[in-house]
Amino acid sequence: LLMRFLSQVGHEPLPPTIGRNVLGRKVLYLPGFFTYARHIVEVDGKRGLFRGLTPRLISSTLSTITRGSVKKAFPLEDMEHVSNKDDVKTSLRKVVKETSHEMMMQCVSRVVSHPLHVISMRCMVQFVGREVKYSGVFSSIGRIFKEEGILGFFVGLVPHILGDVIFLWCCNLLAHFINTYAVDDNFSQASVIRSYTKFVMGIAVSMLTYPFLLVGDLMAVNNCGLRAGLPPYAPAFASWIHCWRYLSAQGQLFRGSSLLFRRAPIPAASFPID
């Protein structure tokens, strides 16, 4: 998690190396996962790899508990089993109902767990400037409340929720239409293929919604008093849309999406961020 987030904020302490792509052309590659991890251990020791882990675990726990509580409080009404041979409209209605229920659970759990996610991001990004502003969970909560108020706990929430919602609907609807129209019931392995469709769609759609995750994480640390979120290291964004436009102009909307084969960005001219 730490290596990925540091690459998201653009912290590249190690020089790129020359490699070759699939066409045999020379390209510059940024250090991969293991090289980056080795650098962190050299600077911070092995404990440095676990920066922000405690608030991250609490955030995940809160998310799981909240989803379970919402599911119990608002149970999904049982619908009759609908096979792909049944009426398409009935089948689609079932998917829409299930996705709507799943979206509600995801949005509520995201709101509840996001404050701890913000603290986790800030604990991790302190690696860049060697700061100790955010350490314990409770002290971090007090600092954010004092400096930014309640809204400080929810910076970056909107792009995260938008990404979650788009992911759920695209993944579920695409899987439904593929299973309904592309997979023939006469095929002997139809049931096996259908069981993996949603998983495959999840991987594909997660790449498309990655920019929302990136922007949300960057906004969580932007202009919060830490070096990695302040000029000249990073612009002070007025909103998440401002951040999105800046990254888009730089061609960096997928920065940090991979930790294995990372192409070094092509130097760009100065882009306006107004």
Side-chain angles (χ1 to χ4, degrees):
L1 290 176
L2 177 59
M3 283 74 77
R4 183 183 188 185
F5 183 57
L6 292 179
S7 63
Q8 283 182 327
V9 298
H11 182 59
E12 299 295 347
L14 302 174
T17 56
I18 299 176
R20 294 183 181 276
N21 60 15
V22 293
L23 299 177
R25 296 176 181 175
K26 290 184 177 180
V27 294
L28 286 177
Y29 285 105
L30 294 171
F33 175 87
F34 296 104
T35 305
Y36 209 138
R38 194 179 308 119
H39 169 74
I40 293 174
V41 171
E42 291 174 355
V43 175
D44 253 4
K46 292 182 179 179
R47 291 185 62 183
L49 294 173
F50 302 98
R51 279 176 175 264
L53 179 61
T54 299
R56 181 76 175 188
L57 291 175
I58 297 175
S59 175
S60 298
T61 302
L62 282 175
S63 178
T64 301
I65 294 174
T66 303
R67 287 180 66 91
S69 300
V70 174
K71 190 174 183 179
K72 288 181 180 179
F74 302 95
L76 182 64
E77 295 180 7
D78 293 332
M79 294 186 66
E80 67 282 0
H81 176 71
V82 181
S83 69
N84 292 86
K85 294 181 180 180
D86 291 329
D87 182 71
V88 174
K89 289 184 179 180
T90 303
S91 179
L92 179 59
R93 188 165 61 248
K94 180 173 184 278
V95 172
V96 169
K97 190 170 184 178
E98 290 176 346
T99 304
S100 299
H101 187 258
E102 190 175 356
M103 179 183 68
M104 178 186 66
M105 292 191 298
Q106 179 61 30
C107 289
V108 174
S109 66
R110 174 68 73 177
V111 171
V112 172
S113 63
H114 193 74
L116 274 301
H117 178 76
V118 171
I119 293 174
S120 177
M121 297 295 102
R122 294 185 181 185
C123 288
M124 287 193 285
V125 85
Q126 289 181 136
F127 176 85
V128 177
R130 316 304 302 156
E131 297 118 327
V132 292
K133 183 177 180 179
Y134 297 93
S135 52
V137 173
F138 294 106
S139 61
S140 298
I141 291 174
R143 181 176 291 276
I144 293 176
F145 183 76
K146 181 180 179 180
E147 295 181 358
E148 304 171 56
I150 293 295
L151 294 180
F153 294 105
F154 299 99
V155 286
L157 176 63
V158 173
H160 271 299
I161 287 182
L162 286 176
D164 290 342
V165 170
I166 294 173
F167 173 84
L168 282 173
W169 283 101
C170 289
C171 181
N172 290 356
L173 289 177
L174 283 173
H176 166 73
F177 287 123
I178 289 175
N179 286 339
T180 302
Y181 297 106
V183 181
D184 192 344
D185 286 331
N186 295 323
F187 184 57
S188 59
Q189 299 297 321
S191 60
V192 176
I193 294 176
R194 288 193 177 107
S195 65
Y196 286 102
T197 302
K198 192 171 182 178
F199 172 75
V200 175
M201 288 299 100
I203 296 176
V205 176
S206 65
M207 289 302 299
L208 295 177
T209 57
Y210 176 80
F212 290 96
L213 171 66
L214 173 62
V215 171
D217 287 348
L218 292 183
M219 291 304 297
V221 301
N222 188 252
N223 202 22
C224 67
L226 298 176
R227 180 187 173 191
L230 292 170
Y233 197 91
F237 300 115
S239 67
W240 72 269
I241 296 177
H242 185 198
C243 178
W244 183 293
R245 289 175 176 172
Y246 175 79
L247 292 174
S248 179
Q250 296 280 358
Q252 294 289 299
L253 277 175
F254 291 89
R255 186 172 68 192
S257 60
S258 173
L259 283 177
L260 295 178
F261 303 101
R262 304 192 301 137
R263 290 281 296 272
I266 300 174
S270 298
F271 290 92
I273 60 173
D274 296 334

